[in-house]
Amino acid sequence: AQTVTQSQPEMSVQEAETVTLSCTYDTSESNYYLFWYKQPPSRQMILVIRQEAYKQQNATENRFSVNFQKAAKSFSLKISDSQLGDTAMYFCARGSNYKLTFGKGTLLTVNP
Amino acid sequence: ETGVTQTPRHLVMGMTNKKSLKCEQHLGHNAMYWYKQSAKKPLELMFVYSLEERVENNSVPSRFSPECPNSSHLFLHLHTLQPEDSALYLCASSQDLQGGGNTIYFGEGSWLTVV
């Protein structure tokens, strides 16, 4: 089975600091997409950032950026200037065709 | 108004009951999905519909029965469930099925407890 692994079940960071969430994945396909989704306590899953595997440039969305290492099949998420509202479960996902395969998630807590 | 709306938000049902979960998307999308989210497990894709046609039934037990009357509405009919079916059921939609790059938009989920 092609899997997505998030090795950090829980992490915490102080407000205004930077944190990096890890994700590795397994795939035999050459063309695929990678995503980070955020699920705050309200439970609605929200897209944070998206990366196309054939693009070498790392995606960035405001305070969120990724470090995409295709050869290593690694896709980490960096959150800069962490805010209290960033407290949530973060899910890494790999997309091919119409299917998303998710990791188990990392619970991030931002402390004041 | 949120893009994907699910009702009810919370449901408690006995193992002999029949109930339904409802999902509506206001995004003009052509594809809709049901996912199951259990504690400590990755999200599990259950069903996929494209233009009201089911394209995926991911080995889901027959006690879960989906229905997609049009591209904006998706139902999950539940009957004779087991306690292990207790979970958060997430509905989602995307523009279409082409490629793996379409962003999938999720509803807030229906929290189901089977007693």
Side-chain angles (χ1 to χ4, degrees):
Chain A
Q2 300 190 2
T3 58
V4 175
T5 302
Q6 294 178 248
S7 59
Q8 306 147 315
E10 295 186 34
M11 293 190 72
S12 62
V13 64
Q14 291 299 121
E15 194 174 8
E17 293 187 348
T18 295
V19 63
T20 298
L21 309 183
S22 301
C23 174
T24 59
Y25 59 92
D26 180 23
T27 185
S28 56
E29 298 173 6
S30 58
N31 191 23
Y32 52 92
Y33 297 80
L34 296 164
F35 304 84
W36 278 98
Y37 278 88
K38 168 186 175 181
Q39 188 178 38
S42 68
R43 310 301 293 188
Q44 185 162 27
M45 197 90 70
I46 304 166
L47 178 68
V48 175
I49 200 165
R50 173 180 178 272
Q51 173 82 41
E52 298 167 61
Y54 62 86
K55 287 189 176 179
Q56 299 216 342
Q57 185 173 5
N58 289 325
T60 299
E61 286 288 342
N62 300 315
R63 297 183 295 107
F64 299 88
S65 62
V66 298
N67 183 4
F68 174 45
Q69 302 290 328
K70 190 171 184 178
K73 295 184 176 144
S74 170
F75 182 61
S76 60
L77 174 69
K78 185 172 83 171
I79 305 175
S80 304
D81 185 26
S82 297
Q83 300 176 0
L84 297 178
D86 295 333
T87 292
M89 281 291 289
Y90 286 82
F91 293 94
C92 177
R94 176 185 52 77
S96 59
N97 295 320
Y98 52 80
K99 296 185 181 182
L100 282 184
T101 301
F102 286 86
K104 292 185 178 181
T106 296
L107 177 60
L108 175 68
T109 301
V110 180
N111 299 310
Chain B
E1 186 175 309
T2 57
V4 181
T5 305
Q6 290 186 241
T7 55
R9 294 292 311 281
H10 300 274
L11 177 64
V12 179
M13 59 185 290
M15 288 190 284
T16 59
N17 291 160
K18 290 184 180 181
K19 297 286 184 182
S20 297
L21 306 180
K22 178 183 175 181
C23 176
E24 182 175 3
Q25 58 96 359
H26 311 276
L27 300 169
H29 289 168
N30 294 320
M32 297 188 76
Y33 311 78
W34 280 115
Y35 283 86
K36 177 182 178 182
Q37 185 176 20
S38 305
K40 311 283 187 188
K41 294 175 68 175
L43 270 73
E44 302 171 54
L45 178 63
M46 300 176 70
F47 300 104
V48 181
Y49 277 82
S50 175
L51 296 171
E52 303 131 54
E53 181 177 338
R54 191 191 308 180
V55 297
E56 178 81 16
N57 178 352
N58 207 18
S59 301
V60 178
S62 59
R63 58 185 184 269
F64 295 93
S65 175
E67 178 189 1
C68 187
N70 56 62
S71 59
S72 298
H73 292 85
L74 185 65
F75 295 88
L76 188 62
H77 303 301
L78 316 168
H79 62 98
T80 59
L81 294 191
Q82 305 298 312
E84 60 265 29
D85 296 323
S86 297
L88 182 68
Y89 289 84
L90 292 169
C91 176
S93 70
S94 63
Q95 183 59 54
D96 53 41
L97 294 180
Q98 292 182 1
N102 286 302
T103 297
I104 292 183
Y105 295 84
F106 288 86
E108 293 181 291
S110 293
W111 189 257
L112 173 67
T113 303
V114 181
V115 297

